[in-house]
Each structure stands twice: as structure tokens, then as C-alpha cells.
Amino acid sequence: MNKKISILGCGWLGLPLAKSLLSKGYEVKGSTTSESKLEVLKNAGISPFQIQLEENKIIGKMVEFLKETDVLIIDIPPGLRRETSTSLEMTFVNKIKNLIPHIEKSGIQKVVFVSSTSVYGDSKNFSTPLEVTEETTPNPDTESGKQLVIAETLLQSNPSFKTTVIRFGGLLGEDRHPVKFLAGRTNVENPDAPVNMIEREDCIGIIERALDFVRDDNWEWNQTFNAVAPQHPTRKAYYHKKAENLNLPLPTFAEDSESKGKIISSKKVETILGYSFQKEI
């Protein structure tokens, strides 16, 4: 088993992932953009690096961060929600373009890129709900989704290394649940749309399962996986249940609004990776 992992982005997912990998015997380097978080990483047993990825430069010791790394995990969200498409241009894409030459020079052979199911478009026809698989052509309707598709292609088409892309659905955890934002709101849209979510524990488990195949010569590393829990209740049913469980005010939905959405299939994760989901959403 390859034991040296570098995680670019030790945030909400990256930090607990790093801790889990450490517990399984990996050596882990982790990056953060915040100087104050370096001590947190160090105290957890992670080799800490302060690295800021920008469009035209990288601030920090990237060469040392990537040195002698068996697998690089890229977990940096586009962070484009508050920007407009005109001002964004290709901000996130340019950051990935800036990163790629450093990966090439490092000699790293395997990369995991954390992506999102936002790369897929929504369906408005709920008489036959759209089931999305990895074979479905991405058709994003958000700026972050558009840039993630380009970033995925840039990484997977590079001949110097192989990249496995994992597209996670809506991320859930004890400290993170969208029902807290929706509680008590009125006229919430898409009441009949199916939810596509995944608990952080399963995100970590799926990445770790992929790492188990790093040295398997019979396994094609350059793959794409959808990763969402197999349950897909409607938004209305799901958020009402969660609000009741947490003693929060129920959101009310715009029943006369047209719902749109999709059902993401994670069958490839279960069959190819042999992963069994641990937590229901």
C-alpha cells in the first residue's frame, strides 16, 4: 500500500480525512490557507503547509508539499457562489492550470480530485425522473459546475499522471445540514425534487477505498465516480422529517412551483470500488 498522501485543502472534509488516514498508517501532508490552522494540523499529526493557490502563482512551499508523495488529493472547492460569471472568467480553472505543472514536475503518478454532482444538469420531467450515471454527459447550470467540468478534463487528460474524480452530492455532517438554513422558510422551491446527499463519513470511506487500489495493476485509476447515498426522498419529505427530528420549524414549500432535479446513481461506487454506504442521510 502506498503510504504517503498529500491533501491540498484540509478543510471541512480534508481535515477529518487526513486524521482517518493517519489512523490507518498513512503519512499525511496537509495544506491550509490559514496560518492559524497550521498548529491544528501539526497537533493532529499532519505535516502542515500554508499554501495559497492563485490564478497566476502559488504562495507557499509547493515543491516540498508534493515531494515524495504517492497520491495527491485535491480538495479545494471552487467557491464561486457569490460571484457573477462575468467577473469570474475562469478563476478556479486557472488555479488548476497553475497547479498542474507542479504535479508534473513532482513525479506524482496518482491524483484524486474531489468534484461535485453539480456538473450534471437537472430534469424537469418527473414522470420519468432522470437517473444520472457516470456515463451521463455533464450539463451544468451553475458557474462552479461549469468550471469543475473543465478542471476534471484538464486533470484526467494530462498524460503525466492519472486522476480519479469523485463527484460528491450534497455534503452532510453533524455540524452541517441544509435543514438548519431552510427551517421556517416559506415558498421553498422544488418540493418534489429528489435529494442527492452524502454523509462525510461515507465521503472519507469512499476516498480511502479508492486508495486501496493504488497498487493494483489490473485496476484502471483514471476513473470517475458518483458518490451519493442510495436514498432519494423528495425535498419536501426529507426536510420535513429532518426539521421534526431536530425540533426546528418546518419549511413550507411552493406546491404550485415546477420541480426540477435528478437522481444520482452511485452503483459504480458499490460495484467497482466494492463500497457499502455506512450512513443513511
Side-chain angles (χ1 to χ4, degrees):
M1 185 194 330
N2 292 40
K3 289 287 188 179
K4 296 181 179 180
I5 308 293
S6 290
I7 301 177
L8 185 63
C10 282
W12 184 84
L13 174 59
L15 179 55
L17 169 63
K19 292 178 179 179
S20 182
L21 290 172
L22 284 169
S23 72
K24 292 175 172 59
Y26 288 88
E27 295 178 33
V28 181
K29 297 177 184 178
S31 82
T32 176
T33 59
S34 171
E35 183 177 359
S36 62
K37 199 173 178 180
L38 292 172
E39 195 68 20
V40 174
L41 301 185
K42 182 178 179 181
N43 290 339
I46 303 160
S47 298
F49 289 79
Q50 185 178 1
I51 293 175
Q52 180 73 43
L53 193 62
E54 298 186 355
E55 291 186 74
N56 54 7
K57 63 181 177 180
I58 293 178
I59 302 171
K61 299 179 179 179
M62 181 60 79
V63 173
E64 187 178 344
F65 176 69
L66 297 178
K67 186 178 180 181
E68 297 179 350
T69 292
D70 297 313
V71 181
L72 169 65
I73 299 174
I74 303 173
D75 183 20
I76 47 173
L80 308 176
R81 292 181 180 177
R82 298 183 181 179
E83 302 286 351
T84 63
S85 58
T86 52
S87 65
L88 274 168
E89 296 179 348
M90 288 283 107
T91 304
F92 182 71
V93 169
N94 288 335
K95 289 179 180 180
I96 297 300
K97 286 181 177 179
N98 192 22
L99 171 64
I100 285 174
H102 293 270
I103 304 175
E104 293 172 338
K105 292 175 184 178
S106 72
I108 290 173
Q109 298 296 303
K110 303 288 173 62
V111 174
V112 173
F113 180 63
V114 175
S115 189
S116 166
T117 56
S118 66
V119 301
Y120 300 114
D122 288 330
S123 170
K124 294 183 179 180
N125 184 359
F126 279 87
S127 61
T128 54
L130 174 67
E131 182 178 56
V132 172
T133 72
E134 292 81 358
E135 302 302 315
T136 303
T137 301
N139 183 30
D141 49 21
T142 64
E143 186 61 35
S144 60
K146 292 172 184 176
Q147 294 202 33
L148 281 169
V149 171
I150 299 171
E152 290 178 3
T153 302
L154 286 170
L155 291 164
Q156 288 191 314
S157 63
N158 191 291
S160 298
F161 51 86
K162 293 184 179 297
T163 301
T164 284
V165 171
I166 304 178
R167 294 169 175 165
F168 289 121
L171 301 174
L172 303 174
E174 292 181 2
D175 59 342
R176 178 173 179 167
H177 201 292
V179 73
K180 296 177 181 178
F181 172 74
L182 293 176
R185 290 186 63 188
T186 59
N187 292 318
V188 179
E189 297 181 346
N190 288 351
D192 297 321
V195 301
N196 297 280
M197 297 184 177
I198 184 169
E199 290 276 355
R200 180 167 55 186
E201 180 180 316
D202 280 313
C203 295
I204 292 170
I206 289 167
I207 293 173
E208 290 180 340
R209 184 66 182 130
L211 294 178
D212 290 340
F213 290 91
V214 169
R215 285 200 176 277
D216 188 342
D217 294 331
N218 297 317
W219 196 78
E220 175 55 46
W221 180 261
N222 218 48
Q223 297 196 55
T224 298
F225 293 95
N226 294 333
V228 304
Q231 306 88 31
H232 302 279
T234 66
R235 279 166 53 84
K236 180 180 177 180
Y238 179 71
Y239 287 120
H240 276 188
K241 179 181 178 181
K242 289 299 177 182
E244 289 173 351
N245 291 345
L246 295 172
N247 293 317
L248 295 172
L250 284 112
T252 58
F253 286 80
E255 300 292 352
D256 56 348
S257 67
E258 183 180 35
S259 291
K260 59 181 181 177
K262 52 191 175 285
I263 295 176
I264 306 290
S265 171
S266 289
K267 292 176 183 176
K268 187 177 177 182
V269 159
E270 297 175 292
T271 57
I272 302 299
L273 287 182
Y275 183 78
S276 297
F277 284 85
Q278 302 301 303
K279 301 193 73 173
E280 288 191 12
I281 59 172

